[in-house]
Amino acid sequence: MRFLPLPLLSLLSAALGSPTGDALVAKAAIEVAEILRRASPDNPSGSYAPATVDCPSDRPTIRAGGTLSQSEQDWLQTRRSKTVDPMIEFLRNCNLTDFDAPGYITSNSQNFSVVPNIGIAVSGGGYRALMNGAGFIAAADSRVPGSTDAGGIGGLLQSSTYLAGLSGGGWLVGSIFANNFSTVVQLRDGYQDSALWQFSNSIFQGPKRRGISIVNTVEYWDDIKDQVDDKRDAGYDASITDYWGRALSVQLINDTDGGPAYTFSSIADFPGFADADTPMPILIADERRPNTQIISLNSTVYEFNPWEMGSYDPTVFGFAPLRYVGSNFSAGSIPDDGHCVRGFDSYSFVMGTSSSLFNSFLLQNLSDTSIPSVVVDALEAILTDLGNDDNDIAAWTPNPFFHFANDSNASADDEQLTLVDGGSDLQNIPLHPLIQPVRGLDVIFAVDSSADTLYHWPNATALRATYERSLNSIANGTAFPRVPDAETFINLGLNQRPSFFGCDASEFANASHVPPLVVYLANTPYTALSNVSTFDPSYTDEERNAIIRNGYNVATMGNGTASDAEWPACVACAVLSRSVARTGTDAGATCARCFDRYCWNGTTDSTPVSSYEPTPILSLDAQSLGASIYGGGGAAAGLAYGVFGLAAAFLAL
Ligand SMILES: *[C@@H]1O[C@H](CO)[C@@H](O)[C@H](O)[C@H]1NC(C)=O
Ligand SMILES: *[C@@H]1O[C@H](CO)[C@@H](O)[C@H](O)[C@H]1NC(C)=O
Ligand SMILES: *[C@@H]1O[C@H](CO)[C@@H](O)[C@H](O)[C@H]1NC(C)=O
Ligand SMILES: *[C@@H]1O[C@H](CO)[C@@H](O)[C@H](O)[C@H]1NC(C)=O
Ligand SMILES: *[C@@H]1O[C@H](CO)[C@@H](O)[C@H](O)[C@H]1NC(C)=O
Ligand SMILES: *[C@@H]1O[C@H](CO)[C@@H](O)[C@H](O)[C@H]1NC(C)=O
Ligand SMILES: *[C@@H]1O[C@H](CO)[C@@H](O)[C@H](O)[C@H]1NC(C)=O
Ligand SMILES: *[C@@H]1O[C@H](CO)[C@@H](O)[C@H](O)[C@H]1NC(C)=O
Ligand SMILES: *[C@@H]1O[C@H](CO)[C@@H](O)[C@H](O)[C@H]1NC(C)=O
Ligand SMILES: *[C@@H]1O[C@H](CO)[C@@H](O)[C@H](O)[C@H]1NC(C)=O
Ligand SMILES: CC(=O)N[C@H]1CO[C@H](CO)[C@@H](O)[C@@H]1O
Ligand SMILES: CC(=O)N[C@H]1CO[C@H](CO)[C@@H](O)[C@@H]1O
């Protein structure tokens, strides 16, 4: 039933013997979106294959990156005003007893330079990042029962403008928007016969059942192969990422076969988003040309948002209309005799691109004998072309930025744009889109589930990568708060409780703009040993739920039970900080105390750390993970994102 409009449409256009008209497609897409109220299968082909369509009269072009897109600017007008009421409610609930925060927002509710502009960034780190990040999102979501009770921070999500994710964090953000902006609790609990968030069968085995029928691993992979073949047959290159993304979607998109025809740009038509009732989702990937390596100082960071893909970096400094990526853009436009293409921006391909580190995870598991040999052969053929060192590449061919920004764009002459996992340059938290001066954010909640240390805990490598980049010319005007070394994070416990960076705006007197305050929330054990290996592919429902609950407790400091009943008030102070600084308002003694407790004051302690093994802050859930998990994961331990040649190293294991 859910697919009805599209097969009908394809039949119709086949019968008429004409290419699918774009107006018809657009109308169908709107109808589908109305029925589904979520991202939708709006690929005109009705399948995974991109489709050639007539260009709209206003032909798609690539724009320069000096401003936000007009679509985003228009959307922001509504979104910023729609955050006002939830923010008043949220701030009231936070109990900032000596400052009338609700009154402050109420009396400035029309002035968006006063109303705080909030972003949330969810790091990579595979399923660990999905689950720990989900705990944060659940805590921030006022729709989740209990989230606005004592010690809660529910309503922060409803007050936010942006929600960015990369890699495993991108699976979380992607899954939320593919499924009607459902709550984490709804996604976690799924519904009968759905594969949604069922991680007990690994992605290599495939789901237990599909609807009412049982599927076996061979059928599951055969279907994935057929979907990717559809794309090849339509004349497009396939990457290992295509297979990886399709497999992921079966767990993340609640539709038949993981919704092969879903596009990322269809989010723009999803009424919840179009009406600005949700924050704006952004996923991240890095550009890495074949046979090269990248670090944060020389990577070009691409973002995918509902309207566009592109980069604010001075290299490419341009954006393509996502819906029409796949068309043969050249020097920023489609030649007059050229057609337009739609459906290239598959939802799964975007999520797969952001997490392409896991291509090698897939390759590692090919020896699972139930994966059919035709699939193994297809993947090996790609590897033969690429070489193992480049198996993490997602081919965006044709390159939308072909002959665009010739002087600074290293791939201006390449027909293929090669993107890799958003954490490959060590910036494993998607801060990049949220520190762009054109977006004017005031605060970022940075949820870090990176596996930096031997036992898979974060030590803020991601923050340092972004800070170091901000001092380099690639930063293109983005500033970032100073952060200390890994040892200081561990020795001062900055990764075992929330910590704030950039509290004192005078630190940025010489910067071109004041960047957002960063609230850093590292994965740390409260009620579960949530440091499972990045490459652990399956989790029982109990393990999954325990890690989500742990993430919830990280976000709320155990609902205030762990040392600080004032934590919600301190979250409110972080939200208000830049605004009150701009208006010269005194936010009161509670905020001053909060800042004493949570702001990094420049102290360092770089004493070498022999082994970082944090002890749980509360008592562990009974259903928490077995002892073997602690330090488990064997050879994958310590192989966080972005280590050079990780893919190669991983294959060599
Ligand atoms: C999507 O969510 C909205 C808002 O919660 C709800 O009204 C609508 O019924 C949902 N649609 C579907 C298809 O679940
Ligand atoms: C905090 O509250 C949430 C929601 O009510 C609950 O799931 C969680 O278990 C609580 N945490 C603790 C440590 O009690
Ligand atoms: C704020 O204080 C009230 C009254 O003491 C309490 O009921 C409520 O749970 C508190 N809110 C939070 C988020 O702690
Ligand atoms: C998944 O899809 C089913 C069938 O359309 C629907 O009943 C259910 O609410 C969906 N679940 C989520 C979390 O979107
Ligand atoms: C980026 O910098 C690293 C470290 O200096 C270097 O190895 C690599 O070749 C550089 N990559 C590019 C594309 O310039
Ligand atoms: C884009 O260019 C390629 C290579 O020249 C060509 O094969 C393809 O048909 C073109 N696509 C469209 C939609 O024009
Ligand atoms: C970039 O270079 C190509 C050929 O080298 C040229 O055809 C194209 O017009 C140039 N693009 C721009 C925007 O100047
Ligand atoms: C911090 O993490 C990096 C990897 O991101 C690792 O190389 C380094 O050894 C870690 N340092 C400490 C003190 O944990
Ligand atoms: C908005 O607030 C800022 C900061 O207080 C102030 O400078 C500006 O005049 C206000 N704008 C309006 C339209 O009131
Ligand atoms: C800075 O923070 C450290 C603990 O992180 C504390 O020991 C020190 O007293 C603080 N310094 C100032 C000047 O507040
Ligand atoms: C603020 C800043 O430096 N912006 C630059 C970003 O990069 C583009 C493209 O190179 C420049 O035109 C901007 O001036
Ligand atoms: C099912 C399966 O074979 N899983 C393996 C996938 O690859 C990782 C990393 O090598 C292994 O740890 C899993 O056992």
Side-chain angles (χ1 to χ4, degrees):
M1 193 189 78
R2 292 185 300 276
F3 269 134
L4 202 55
L6 286 168
L8 266 185
L9 180 64
S10 325
L11 279 177
L12 187 63
S13 53
L16 294 175
S18 67
T20 313
D22 210 50
L24 191 55
V25 170
K27 183 166 176 290
I30 290 165
E31 283 166 11
V32 170
E34 273 167 10
I35 294 164
L36 293 165
R37 297 187 61 85
R38 58 182 167 187
S40 63
D42 86 332
N43 186 337
S45 72
S47 75
Y48 186 63
T52 302
V53 297
D54 293 337
C55 286
S57 54
D58 193 5
R59 289 173 81 82
T61 54
I62 312 290
R63 68 173 183 91
T67 58
L68 296 176
S69 69
Q70 191 59 49
S71 301
E72 184 171 340
Q73 292 179 41
D74 294 346
W75 178 87
L76 280 170
Q77 290 296 318
T78 321
R79 180 60 190 163
R80 296 296 309 281
S81 58
K82 285 201 174 178
T83 62
V84 168
D85 287 344
M87 203 181 299
I88 291 170
E89 196 53 37
F90 165 71
L91 292 170
R92 178 175 296 121
N93 197 49
C94 284
N95 290 339
L96 201 49
T97 45
D98 48 11
F99 177 63
D100 178 15
Y104 174 77
I105 302 295
T106 306
S107 54
N108 290 290
S109 64
Q110 307 294 315
N111 188 339
F112 296 149
S113 79
V114 180
V115 177
N117 190 1
I118 305 171
I120 298 173
V122 191
S123 82
Y127 290 99
R128 183 186 60 249
L130 180 152
M131 297 184 289
N132 182 56
F136 179 87
I137 299 297
D141 186 345
S142 59
R143 299 170 300 172
V144 168
S147 68
T148 55
D149 292 354
I153 60 165
L156 180 65
L157 181 65
Q158 282 68 27
S159 308
S160 297
T161 311
Y162 296 99
L163 175 57
L166 76 76
S167 202
W171 308 346
L172 170 66
V173 173
S175 191
I176 289 172
F177 280 86
N179 298 299
N180 198 28
F181 201 70
S182 296
T183 66
V184 161
V185 173
Q186 287 167 320
L187 295 169
R188 181 195 68 189
D189 295 345
Y191 75 110
Q192 202 176 359
D193 299 333
S194 167
L196 196 62
W197 287 35
Q198 297 301 306
F199 305 139
S200 56
N201 264 28
S202 83
I203 197 164
F204 308 110
Q205 288 170 282
K208 286 199 181 99
R209 57 175 66 81
R210 180 161 52 190
I212 48 169
S213 46
I214 309 286
V215 255
N216 65 42
T217 302
V218 172
E219 277 177 73
Y220 159 77
W221 279 106
D222 273 342
D223 288 349
I224 289 175
K225 179 177 179 297
D226 288 347
Q227 291 159 9
V228 180
D229 281 349
D230 288 342
K231 177 172 176 178
R232 283 182 207 277
D233 292 347
Y236 298 87
D237 285 353
S239 331
I240 293 165
T241 308
D242 286 278
Y243 296 87
W244 170 247
R246 287 311 316 138
L248 263 180
S249 293
V250 172
Q251 295 180 338
L252 301 179
I253 301 181
N254 182 25
D255 208 330
T256 311
D257 292 340
Y262 277 60
T263 61
F264 202 77
S265 58
S266 71
I267 296 173
D269 295 327
F270 152 53
F273 173 74
D275 298 343
D277 290 327
T278 74
M280 172 172 155
I282 304 178
L283 263 57
I284 292 295
D286 295 340
E287 179 175 356
R288 186 169 72 72
R289 303 180 71 220
N291 307 313
T292 67
Q293 294 177 337
I294 50 167
I295 54 172
S296 69
L297 304 186
N298 61 19
S299 61
T300 294
V301 180
Y302 277 78
E303 71 169 57
F304 294 90
N305 67 51
W307 303 288
E308 295 190 320
M309 74 173 281
S311 182
Y312 287 106
D313 289 340
T315 46
V316 169
F317 200 61
F319 287 86
L322 185 58
R323 184 171 300 236
Y324 292 104
V325 163
S327 313
N328 285 331
F329 288 97
S330 180
S333 57
I334 301 169
D336 287 344
D337 56 354
H339 286 287
C340 283
V341 171
R342 282 199 39 210
F344 189 94
D345 66 314
S346 150
Y347 209 106
S348 67
F349 193 51
V350 173
M351 290 194 289
T353 297
S354 180
S355 62
S356 73
L357 175 78
F358 292 88
N359 285 356
S360 48
F361 186 30
L362 173 56
L363 293 170
Q364 274 291 294
N365 281 267
L366 284 183
S367 56
D368 181 328
T369 47
S370 359
I371 299 185
S373 60
V374 283
V375 174
V376 176
D377 293 348
L379 292 174
E380 278 171 357
I382 294 174
L383 269 189
T384 309
D385 286 351
L386 274 178
N388 280 346
D389 287 355
D390 287 326
N391 71 30
D392 62 335
I393 277 176
W396 284 70
T397 319
N399 173 7
F401 303 96
F402 183 69
H403 285 172
F404 182 83
N406 284 338
D407 296 340
S408 51
N409 174 9
S411 41
D413 287 330
D414 298 345
E415 285 173 10
Q416 171 172 273
L417 170 66
T418 50
L419 300 179
V420 295
D421 195 290
S424 308
D425 66 348
L426 294 181
Q427 299 190 89
N428 198 31
I429 308 174
L431 299 161
H432 182 275
L434 307 181
I435 58 174
Q436 296 304 320
V438 283
R439 288 210 164 102
L441 269 87
D442 293 317
V443 61
I444 302 173
F445 288 82
V447 183
D448 193 2
S449 311
S450 302
D452 293 326
T453 68
L454 185 61
Y455 296 125
H456 319 141
W457 300 109
N459 69 21
T461 295
L463 293 184
R464 280 184 297 278
T466 299
Y467 170 62
E468 284 157 15
R469 180 183 167 98
S470 76
L471 307 176
N472 190 281
S473 62
I474 190 103
N476 204 22
T478 56
F480 194 74
R482 197 160 65 90
V483 290
D485 55 85
E487 287 75 10
T488 295
F489 266 86
I490 294 172
N491 293 331
L492 299 186
L494 302 177
N495 60 345
Q496 287 190 72
R497 58 172 171 79
S499 37
F500 300 173
F501 296 91
C503 293
D504 182 0
S506 68
E507 179 186 336
F508 309 103
N510 296 325
S512 53
H513 76 123
V514 178
L517 183 136
V518 174
V519 175
Y520 179 65
L521 296 143
N523 180 20
T524 199
Y526 271 81
T527 44
L529 297 175
S530 51
N531 57 331
V532 293
S533 161
T534 309
F535 298 103
D536 189 342
S538 57
Y539 301 87
T540 65
D541 291 356
E542 291 70 29
E543 289 168 339
R544 176 197 64 196
N545 297 354
I547 297 176
I548 294 175
R549 197 168 97 85
N550 190 74
Y552 189 109
N553 285 322
V554 170
T556 60
M557 298 186 80
N559 301 324
T561 55
S563 78
D564 194 356
E566 236 172 26
W567 171 238
C570 294
V571 172
C573 297
V575 164
L576 291 164
S577 168
R578 291 289 185 257
S579 172
V580 294
R582 279 195 299 269
T583 58
T585 308
D586 179 2
T590 305
C591 282
R593 277 200 313 275
C594 285
F595 277 30
D596 280 347
R597 285 205 290 284
Y598 294 106
C599 292
W600 177 56
N601 65 13
T603 302
T604 58
D605 176 354
S606 308
T607 313
V609 175
S610 56
S611 180
Y612 175 56
E613 298 178 51
T615 47
I617 292 168
L618 300 174
S619 56
L620 292 180
D621 280 351
Q623 69 274 47
S624 180
L625 304 162
S628 66
I629 293 295
Y630 215 141
L639 280 181
Y641 288 72
V643 178
F644 290 152
L646 173 61
F650 192 55
L651 271 179
L653 291 177

